């Protein structure tokens, strides 16, 4: 039977061709729907606030805070205006790191509240839902600066 | 209504409805083989780093992002990342695996949580 969506790649690749989406890694971390939700949450909260939200999911080593701060410094863009959400599901730790300018708009208490809602979802096994809700809380707290408002 | 018809109507029909319902409920879960995250499990995936799309980029692909492995499609390492960026996006000049130099960001804030 002919499938509506052809997922097998045809034999047109050369040695220069990168692996296709269906070939690389049998087991993906998130489904495409979940990736789309993450992508939209990150992009919209960054556009809305003018801050730069990045998300790291992986092991954070032993002093999780210092590793998260290193990652924040290397996250690209302007680090003072960037916010890193680092999640280590193996260690069951989530770290939110805000740069100096971002910390003035998102105080530590607001970060702690967002972290609390994220850990609540993570404890139920809902990684993506927790991340999306945490991003929403952080971006609501940061608000929409008047400099970003464009006349329509 | 004889005995066979009675059994068919009062036992067969409910059983058929139950079977259809069970199929509708459990078939999608059985078909998706992705293991769901449960708290306490070890995490064996490679680290991924997701970053937002740049503001006015025309359809930002996953070859020209800044942070390591920063596309929504997961992380590429070393030669693979460089090769991919230079072959499939011929015009974009990216200098190897783009790891920006660490920049100090002043007094940092944030929060930590465990679950």
């Amino acid at each position: 039977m002919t499938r509506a969506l052809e997922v097998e790649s045809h034999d047109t690749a050369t040695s220069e061709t990168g692996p296709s989406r269906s070939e690389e890694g049998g087991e993906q971390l998130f489904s495409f729907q979940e990736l789309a939700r993450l992508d939209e949450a990150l992009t919209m909260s960054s556009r809305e606030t003018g801050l730069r939200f990045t998300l790291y999911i992986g092991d954070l080593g032993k002093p999780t805070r210092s590793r998260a701060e290193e990652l924040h410094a290397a996250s690209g863009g302007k680090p003072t205006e960037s916010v890193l959400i680092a999640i280590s599901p193996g260690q069951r730790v989530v770290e939110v790191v805000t740069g100096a300018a971002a910390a003035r708009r998102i105080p530590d208490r607001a970060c702690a509240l967002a972290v609390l809602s994220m850990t609540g979802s993570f404890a139920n096994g809902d990684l993506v839902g927790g991340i999306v809700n945490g991003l929403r809380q952080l971006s609501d707290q940061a608000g929409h600066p008047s400099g970003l408002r464009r006349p329509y | 209504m004889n005995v066979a018809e009675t059994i068919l109507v009062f036992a067969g029909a409910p059983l058929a409805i139950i079977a259809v319902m069970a199929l509708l409920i459990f078939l999608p879960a059985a078909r998706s083989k992705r293991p769901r995250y449960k708290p306490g499990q070890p995490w064996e995936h490679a680290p991924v780093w997701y970053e937002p799309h740049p503001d006015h980029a025309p359809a930002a692909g996953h070859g020209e992002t800044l942070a390591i492995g920063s596309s929504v499609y997961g992380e590429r390492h070393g030669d693979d990342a460089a090769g991919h960026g230079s072959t499939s996006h011929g015009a974009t000049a990216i200098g190897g695996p783009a790891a920006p130099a660490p920049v100090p960001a002043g007094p940092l804030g944030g929060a930590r949580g465990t679950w």
Side-chain angles (χ1 to χ4, degrees):
Chain A
M1 199 172 88
T2 310
R3 305 268 294 274
L5 180 66
E6 199 71 53
V7 290
E8 293 302 316
S9 62
H10 297 290
D11 194 18
T12 54
T14 66
S15 60
E16 299 286 299
T17 312
S20 77
R21 201 80 49 75
S22 57
E23 285 165 352
E24 55 181 323
E27 173 192 324
Q28 293 285 324
L29 183 49
F30 297 122
S31 70
F32 287 123
Q33 287 89 347
E34 291 173 327
L35 283 176
R37 282 181 70 198
L38 282 183
D39 187 36
E40 188 181 353
L42 275 178
T43 305
M44 294 322 282
S45 49
S46 298
R47 261 180 216 174
E48 179 95 353
T49 59
L51 301 173
R52 181 181 157 85
F53 287 91
T54 55
L55 169 68
Y56 174 88
I57 304 174
D59 197 63
L60 283 174
K62 201 51 196 164
T64 53
R65 185 69 198 177
S66 59
R67 177 82 183 114
E69 287 179 357
E70 281 170 26
L71 288 171
H72 177 267
S75 65
K78 289 185 208 152
T80 52
E81 290 176 4
S82 65
V83 179
L84 172 73
I85 301 174
I87 299 166
S88 174
Q91 298 166 294
R92 301 209 224 171
V93 170
V94 54
E95 296 271 3
V96 175
V97 187
T98 52
R104 290 174 59 195
R105 291 174 56 195
I106 311 176
D108 288 358
R109 292 174 60 179
C111 290
L113 198 61
V115 162
L116 189 68
S117 85
M118 283 196 266
T119 53
S121 295
F122 296 159
N124 289 327
D126 186 12
L127 279 180
V128 176
I131 293 164
V132 170
N133 272 334
L135 276 170
R136 182 182 301 147
Q137 285 199 17
L138 288 175
S139 66
D140 281 353
Q141 176 64 39
H144 189 52
S146 57
L148 285 179
R149 284 179 203 143
R150 298 189 195 94
Y152 289 105
Chain B
M1 201 146 75
N2 60 22
V3 179
E5 279 180 337
T6 311
I7 289 174
L8 210 63
V9 167
F10 288 104
L15 279 178
I17 292 172
I18 287 168
V20 167
M21 291 296 221
L23 220 63
L24 286 177
I25 290 167
F26 293 113
L27 203 64
R31 280 179 64 187
S32 74
K33 282 176 241 125
R34 183 189 315 283
R36 196 164 180 273
Y37 167 72
K38 293 188 193 71
Q41 279 178 339
W43 187 256
E44 278 137 11
H45 301 280
V48 280
W49 201 339
Y50 302 108
E51 72 172 2
H53 288 291
D55 212 346
H56 296 293
H62 53 284
E64 55 274 336
T65 43
L66 284 176
I68 307 166
S70 52
S71 75
V72 291
Y73 302 119
E75 187 155 10
R76 293 171 178 281
H77 297 278
D79 297 334
D80 184 27
H84 179 77
S86 55
T87 48
S88 64
H89 303 274
T92 56
I94 90 170
V103 187
L108 299 172
R112 178 178 201 275
T114 54
W115 69 91

